[in-house]
Amino acid sequence: MYDCIRPGQPWLDTDGNPIQAHGGSVMYIDGTYYWYGENKEKTTGLDEIWHWGVRLYSSRDLYNWQSEGIILMPRPDDPTHQLHPSFQMDRPHILFCDETQKFVMWVKFMSPGGQHMGIAVADSIKGPFEYVKTLYLFEMESGDFDLVKDESGKAYIYFEHCHTEMICAELTEDYTDVTGAFSRHFTNQLPPYTREAPAFFKRDGKMYLLTSGTTGYFPNPSEIAVSTEYHGPWTVLGDPCVNDVNRNSFHSQFSSVFKVQNLPEGKELFVALGDRWLTDIPDGYLEEVPKIYDALCCGEPREEDFGGVKRLRELSSENTSQAKYVWLPIVFEKGEPRIYFYDSWRIEDFM
């Protein structure tokens, strides 16, 4: 049994198995938290198995998680299906649609057909989710994303138009498509400054978007922006990671933010969920990533400038099944969000 959160340390489920919920998110339903993400249990970094569907866990204390099984199954027997394990399926996000009383899951794919989205639906958060369609949003290559539902039930998607900009698009009433209305943000930024991995949260009428730069699985400085409208404009507040001495988001990439429920009156806590994707890079090399990041951003990046990242990549197997989770509290100081690293921390510390 766990009684705290230990960022970057092994985290086992209640059966004693490593938790497989990478690039994940947390939902709160009727007194229970549900954590879901990429199931990497069969990934080795040595073959073409990128994922084995989407796995779900449940918890009441946010420390101890029970596996609820695979809620979106892979299709290993159909090499043409979007859910074949060789296709790069990432970052599932789920919303409950009041209109249809369905849970709607979006996932991102990288396949021979390009980068696009897949949609699946279920009657329960525990699935099984049925894959219903593939979407190419506005004929754009779509990357990392987050789904947002407002108080009225209207929903939005924030996604990276690959290596170009961030898009905010409105979803249809059943959450399975986009309406056609969208806006562009953080434009004219080439990698590694292109914003990806958007994680949205809302507090006191203000909307926040936590993002990373674009350096593959190698961590880089995070950035947070604020707005009063879903379609912006967004004001960049800078890097929220306060004691991040190596400027690499505490060796992680955040994928989502959730709010802890049922705290005492006057108390609040948001938690940023991150993945420490690469765990096998020799000591010292990760300190080079911010230097490479800065070098690439000085003027027009040249092809040879990416050599540093390529050299680093050769040092890693990119076996993402070994990725560790970095969950950290978001606190507000003088009205602005801040993230500090803790070797271990408890929800109760913020009550």
Side-chain angles (χ1 to χ4, degrees), residues 214-239:
T214 310
T215 52
Y217 276 129
F218 292 90
N220 58 64
S222 292
E223 182 177 277
I224 199 160
V226 62
S227 175
T228 57
E229 301 291 340
Y230 290 95
H231 286 291
W234 293 90
T235 299
V236 175
L237 300 177
D239 187 348

Side-chain angles (χ1 to χ4, degrees), residues 316-347:
S316 171
S317 68
E318 295 199 358
N319 180 5
T320 51
S321 70
Q322 301 299 312
K324 302 298 189 293
Y325 303 103
V326 178
W327 285 28
L328 292 169
I330 300 176
V331 298
F332 282 79
E333 296 177 348
K334 297 181 179 180
E336 293 196 0
R338 298 284 184 262
I339 303 175
Y340 291 87
F341 186 84
Y342 302 89
D343 290 326
S344 66
W345 63 279
R346 293 169 50 82
I347 304 298

Side-chain angles (χ1 to χ4, degrees), residues 21 24-27 34-38 54-56 71 92-94:
S25 296
V26 169
M27 293 185 75
Y34 292 96
W35 177 13
Y36 57 88
E38 306 160 30
V54 175
R55 187 176 282 277
L56 177 74
I71 57 174
H93 290 283
I94 299 173

Side-chain angles (χ1 to χ4, degrees), residues 8-21:
Q9 299 301 310
W11 204 346
L12 306 180
D13 65 20
T14 54
D15 295 323
N17 300 313
I19 292 175
Q20 294 287 349

Side-chain angles (χ1 to χ4, degrees), residues 11-73:
W11 204 346
L12 306 180
D13 65 20
T14 54
D15 295 323
N17 300 313
I19 292 175
Q20 294 287 349
H22 304 286
S25 296
V26 169
M27 293 185 75
Y28 180 80
I29 304 172
D30 296 332
T32 299
Y33 293 94
Y34 292 96
W35 177 13
Y36 57 88
E38 306 160 30
N39 181 21
K40 300 278 195 177
E41 63 181 291
K42 295 183 182 292
T43 299
T44 66
L46 301 176
D47 54 30
E48 294 185 350
I49 297 179
W50 183 273
H51 71 89
W52 204 255
V54 175
R55 187 176 282 277
L56 177 74
Y57 297 85
S58 63
S59 174
R60 290 186 176 271
D61 62 9
L62 294 172
Y63 305 138
N64 300 283
W65 294 89
Q66 175 181 318
S67 175
E68 300 289 350
I70 301 174
I71 57 174
L72 180 65
M73 295 296 295

Side-chain angles (χ1 to χ4, degrees), residues 73-124:
M73 295 296 295
R75 301 287 184 88
D77 298 328
D78 185 353
T80 66
H81 197 281
Q82 297 299 310
L83 289 171
H84 189 269
S86 65
F87 289 177
Q88 298 180 13
M89 184 272 289
D90 290 327
R91 299 176 183 273
H93 290 283
I94 299 173
L95 292 178
F96 178 72
C97 181
D98 301 301
E99 182 76 17
T100 62
Q101 294 293 293
K102 299 283 188 180
F103 288 87
V104 182
M105 179 191 297
W106 287 53
V107 293
K108 159 197 159 190
F109 287 111
M110 291 183 283
S111 68
Q115 293 194 203
H116 47 277
M117 299 292 176
I119 313 297
V121 299
D123 294 325
S124 166

